[in-house]
Amino acid sequence: DIQMTQSPSSLSASVGDRVTITCRASQGISNYLAWYQQKPGKVPRLLIYGASTLQSGVPSRFSGSGSGTEFTLTISSLQPEDVATYFCQKYMSAPLTFGGGTKVEIK
Amino acid sequence: EVQLVESGGVVVQPGESLRLSCSASGFTFDDHAMHWVRQVPGKGLEWVSLISWSGESTHYAASVHGRFIISRDNTKNSLYLQMNSLGPEDTALYYCAKGFLTSTTTFFDYWGQGTLVIVSS
């Protein structure tokens, strides 16, 4: 099975900073990669699919890129409401594995 | 408005069985694959199982294969997860999730609030 590895597992950044989270697949998955945001105590929310397509209603400061085995989620200007854990997920085939998550905090 | 409402989570003893349900509304249920995802509170997400729109195709995570059975009733807009031979490792919040596309393997655009399963003696 394909494994998904996220890095870092946590990060602390200042408001306005550019934040980048990486997700690596153990085998190529083309662009079958989604990103979710989970705020504390809340349900996960779809941010990006197809590696780079922004879900409707998601602020444009979020962007995704990559293909094959390496992907990134970028927050161009971190806002206080972006405090959350972010998960990547591959969906090319079952099992639909999630990455371990990246917890983003405000410094 | 899409709504997914899970139910059935309780405290059970190791070895027991449990059936979770998910009631869906606000979309054409039989147009979409449906999924179960679980999360130990404070930990990561684990995809558990999927079922195609028709119910003919199912897939399971290795951790539950042979113990859990996913099913759906399109006449009732409902998704189910029969959980057998439960162990402490199955303790988690179980989410029902809607597949975005009609294809079986896809990402999830809506999630329920989850139902908590605790396996403990």
Side-chain angles (χ1 to χ4, degrees), chain A residues 23-56:
Chain A
C23 178
R24 289 186 172 88
S26 59
Q27 298 175 40
I29 57 169
S30 184
N31 67 336
Y32 293 92
L33 193 283
W35 290 97
Y36 300 88
Q37 174 194 63
Q38 187 176 31
K39 295 184 178 182
K42 301 296 185 181
V43 172
R45 171 198 183 192
L46 175 67
L47 293 179
I48 287 168
Y49 60 92
S52 61
T53 302
L54 209 62
Q55 171 68 338
S56 176

Side-chain angles (χ1 to χ4, degrees), chain B residues 80-98:
Chain B
Y80 306 102
L81 186 67
Q82 177 66 40
M83 310 164 66
N84 301 321
S85 302
L86 285 162
E89 68 277 10
D90 298 313
T91 293
L93 186 63
Y94 284 75
Y95 294 106
C96 163
K98 170 185 168 288

Side-chain angles (χ1 to χ4, degrees), chain B residues 69-81:
Chain B
I69 300 171
I70 191 171
S71 62
R72 65 190 295 162
D73 184 339
N74 288 343
T75 66
K76 296 181 179 179
N77 286 357
S78 292
L79 175 72
Y80 306 102
L81 186 67

Side-chain angles (χ1 to χ4, degrees), chain B residues 8-117:
Chain B
V10 291
V11 179
V12 296
Q13 295 195 340
E16 293 188 338
S17 297
L18 191 62
R19 188 197 200 202
L20 305 183
S21 300
C22 172
S23 177
S25 61
F27 65 102
T28 305
F29 184 69
D30 57 9
D31 271 354
H32 295 268
M34 294 295 294
H35 304 256
W36 289 99
V37 177
R38 68 185 181 183
Q39 184 174 36
V40 175
K43 302 297 184 181
L45 298 168
E46 180 186 16
W47 172 80
V48 173
S49 182
L50 73 84
I51 187 166
S52 64
W53 66 271
S54 66
E56 291 184 355
S57 178
T58 59
H59 292 272
Y60 299 92
S63 58
V64 306
H65 196 272
R67 298 188 299 122
F68 289 12
I69 300 171
I70 191 171
S71 62
R72 65 190 295 162
D73 184 339
N74 288 343
T75 66
K76 296 181 179 179
N77 286 357
S78 292
L79 175 72
Y80 306 102
L81 186 67
Q82 177 66 40
M83 310 164 66
N84 301 321
S85 302
L86 285 162
E89 68 277 10
D90 298 313
T91 293
L93 186 63
Y94 284 75
Y95 294 106
C96 163
K98 170 185 168 288
F100 181 81
L101 303 171
T102 56
S103 61
T104 301
T105 52
T106 183
F107 47 93
F108 318 136
D109 57 346
Y110 287 93
W111 300 61
Q113 292 298 311
T115 187
L116 183 61
V117 174

